[in-house]
Amino acid sequence: MSTPPLLCDGDGLAMPARLRSLVMAQKPEIKITLASRKKVFTTLDTIAGTVTITAPEDTPFDNLDIEFLGTSRTYVERITTAAAAAGRSEAFHQFLKLVQPGLQEHYPVDGILKAGQAYDFAFIFVVPQQLLPRICQHKTHNPAIRDAHLSLPPTFGDREQSKACDIADDMAPEMASVRYGIFARLWKNKLHDDEMCRFSLVSKARRLRIVPALEEAPPLAVGGEESEYTMRKVKTVRKGVLKGKLGSLVMEAAQPQALRLRSSNESECRTTTMATVMLRFDPTDENAAPPKLGSLSSKLKVNTFFASTARQQLPTKQGSLLDVTQGMHSDQLSLSSRCVANVEWTKCDPAKPLTIERRDSACSTTQLTVGETPAPSETYKGRTYYSARLLVPITLPSTKTFAPTFHSCLISRVYQIKLELSTSSLGTSLDLKIPVQVSSSSENSTSDALLRRASGGESAGDDAEVEAEDLADFFHSRMIRAPAEGFVGRSRIGSQAPVGVEEMEAPPGYSAFAPSSGGGGVPAVR
């Protein structure tokens, strides 16, 4: 059977080739250039730059959007015996949207991008200190939860951006990510089903690494049978196998000060804090000596909580096991191990009053204060006892990247220190699990940032760019509002929207945010 000839038009061109050229028409090219070469931006940092658009052929357009966006995405695998309930639930949350205003005033007069000409549109954004209240509209158990949800989360689980910037693993699971970026998109209005809609001509994204300044929160009030933390441990010390009791050993610790991440200019400094462990030995008789200590090791447990529904309270391990919309991922890092055999015990007389340091008003009354002798064990009979204090330096390893402790509507990152103490007595070892926070400092206090911005000074670093051609998994929201209570699954917004109808994405653009001089000037044509 012979192949039918291709149909040709009057110019002798094959129709399939003509159709192919129409379908595969070249799109305008968008390039996003930042004025600063910083790797990491933080609270009150200025993010300025230029969006350059070059069209290979005359291209009419109607709108250009330049936005600074922050999004979080999670999914939870539900494994149940019921087939109908099994599967994956997903959630997407656009918690930040800043829009560059005034671009319409600087479009080409005829609304057409001329072939071969480059058009420069300047933009300027400032990393905000807080999110808009409307991004967290779901119920919360107390105002502190809502305040935590309205704090900017750090860049989290963005592997492509971390690889491009040569940043170590942040131990985020694939099920949770927080991403920031500058997003530029060209729109064209077209008639679709008797309705004028906006169609995307071309879009481009440049990812950013944001680590906001997050201060240390008050110590956690821990306790109860279901608590994930063990602040106090009591163990009986025996004279030997099948022998009598020598006494009771008490190990107790308070929550240490936060591990404070340094700014990018202080990256060579190690992040360190100090944990204080207080020991007490209650002997069964006056002649019993305290046990000889062995070694003390410390480990850091990194917990990431994620959910496909907005959470009303702080996440817990128990809650993630009982709720199919929540998940948890843990990593454990060994920090140090040292011999404490030379630590000396202090003999204490119960008749003399103890010197107790003043408790901070933010501390829970059920927790040990640094420098305080632990409460006696149940077997204590008012005799002489012994006490000792161990100082444990906690240093974050440089082989990993640590996100500051944060709680958002969908994702949380928390840390826990595990301390294991061994003694020379057979079978006598104790361990504690205490909470620790990781906070992030910034060279940008409010006053310092304003002064530096006024003087035009910026610190320089390596320039790393990640441009996303496929934006569906980064900026394209699957739900049009902040995740509400009971949301499970996903919804999708199409690539077209009626003209004059704004997408109800949360939060809205700051239309009142005026550009500084040169931030929204007339586009340069080259």
Side-chain angles (χ1 to χ4, degrees), residues 165-186:
C165 296
D166 194 22
I167 295 174
D169 176 30
D170 62 2
M171 297 168 287
E174 294 183 359
M175 295 77 76
S177 64
V178 177
R179 297 174 179 176
Y180 292 88
I182 301 297
F183 181 41
R185 175 175 286 179
L186 275 176

Side-chain angles (χ1 to χ4, degrees), residues 180-387:
Y180 292 88
I182 301 297
F183 181 41
R185 175 175 286 179
L186 275 176
W187 298 92
K188 177 63 180 175
N189 299 336
K190 295 182 180 180
L191 190 63
H192 180 74
D193 293 337
D194 297 329
E195 185 177 17
M196 190 64 70
C197 298
R198 293 203 312 167
F199 286 82
S200 174
L201 295 178
V202 65
S203 58
K204 179 77 87 173
R206 174 158 181 163
R207 296 184 182 179
L208 302 173
R209 184 170 185 82
I210 307 294
V211 181
L214 295 174
E215 296 299 327
E216 181 179 5
L220 293 176
V222 299
E225 296 180 356
E226 297 183 358
S227 176
E228 301 174 21
Y229 305 102
T230 305
M231 311 297 292
R232 174 185 170 93
K233 185 68 70 70
V234 181
K235 199 157 188 179
T236 300
V237 179
R238 297 185 177 275
K239 299 177 182 179
V241 180
L242 303 178
K243 292 185 179 181
K245 298 179 181 179
L246 190 63
S248 296
L249 181 60
V250 182
M251 181 181 181
E252 193 166 352
Q255 178 176 336
Q257 291 186 342
L259 289 153
R260 195 169 184 83
L261 299 176
R262 305 294 182 179
S263 65
S264 57
N265 291 339
E266 301 174 311
S267 58
E268 295 181 359
C269 299
R270 301 294 295 275
T271 303
T272 303
T273 189
M274 190 70 69
T276 302
V277 177
M278 298 301 298
L279 301 177
R280 175 180 178 133
F281 177 68
D282 295 333
T284 54
D285 58 69
E286 295 289 344
N287 297 325
K292 186 176 181 180
L293 303 179
S295 62
L296 179 65
S297 62
S298 59
K299 298 178 181 179
L300 180 67
K301 191 173 184 180
V302 183
N303 293 328
T304 303
F305 295 91
F306 49 92
S308 58
T309 59
R311 292 175 308 205
Q312 301 181 13
Q313 58 185 352
L314 295 181
T316 61
K317 180 179 180 180
Q318 186 70 14
S320 64
L321 295 176
L322 299 177
D323 189 348
V324 295
T325 66
Q326 298 189 42
M328 173 184 172
H329 178 271
S330 295
D331 278 289
Q332 185 166 277
L333 305 175
S334 296
L335 298 181
S336 65
S337 180
R338 62 194 184 104
C339 178
V340 292
N342 293 331
V343 173
E344 296 183 357
W345 289 92
T346 301
K347 190 173 183 180
C348 302
D349 188 350
K352 295 181 179 180
L354 297 175
T355 301
I356 301 177
E357 296 183 2
R358 181 181 179 272
R359 291 178 184 267
D360 191 290
S361 59
C363 295
S364 169
T365 56
T366 60
Q367 294 185 23
L368 179 74
T369 301
V370 175
E372 181 180 347
T373 301
S377 62
E378 295 180 355
T379 60
Y380 180 64
K381 299 179 181 179
R383 299 187 179 94
T384 300
Y385 64 92
Y386 298 85
S387 65

Side-chain angles (χ1 to χ4, degrees), residues 33-106:
T33 306
L34 298 180
S36 172
R37 298 172 62 86
K38 297 179 66 173
K39 279 187 176 182
V40 181
F41 294 90
T42 187
T43 304
L44 295 181
D45 264 348
T46 298
I47 303 175
T50 304
V51 170
T52 303
I53 304 177
T54 306
E57 57 187 29
D58 289 357
T59 305
F61 76 102
D62 292 292
N63 295 99
L64 169 65
D65 291 337
I66 303 178
E67 301 168 333
F68 173 34
L69 300 182
T71 63
S72 61
R73 186 182 300 278
T74 60
Y75 70 86
V76 180
E77 297 287 356
R78 296 175 296 183
I79 303 176
T80 63
T81 55
R88 173 185 291 190
S89 59
E90 301 184 36
F92 175 93
H93 187 194
Q94 180 179 288
F95 55 83
L96 178 66
K97 179 180 179 180
L98 304 182
V99 180
Q100 174 65 47
L103 296 176
Q104 296 84 352
E105 302 175 4
H106 310 303

Side-chain angles (χ1 to χ4, degrees), residues 432-453:
L432 299 179
K433 299 176 182 178
I434 59 177
V436 65
Q437 299 179 43
V438 176
S439 64
S440 54
S441 65
S442 170
E443 60 216 27
N444 294 356
S445 63
T446 303
S447 58
D448 292 343
L450 294 177
L451 288 174
R452 193 178 66 257
R453 286 164 54 193

Side-chain angles (χ1 to χ4, degrees), residues 4-26:
L6 294 176
L7 296 178
C8 298
D9 58 9
D11 296 331
L13 298 176
M15 292 301 293
R18 171 69 63 85
L19 293 176
R20 190 183 305 111
S21 64
L22 293 176
V23 173
M24 302 180 63
Q26 291 184 329

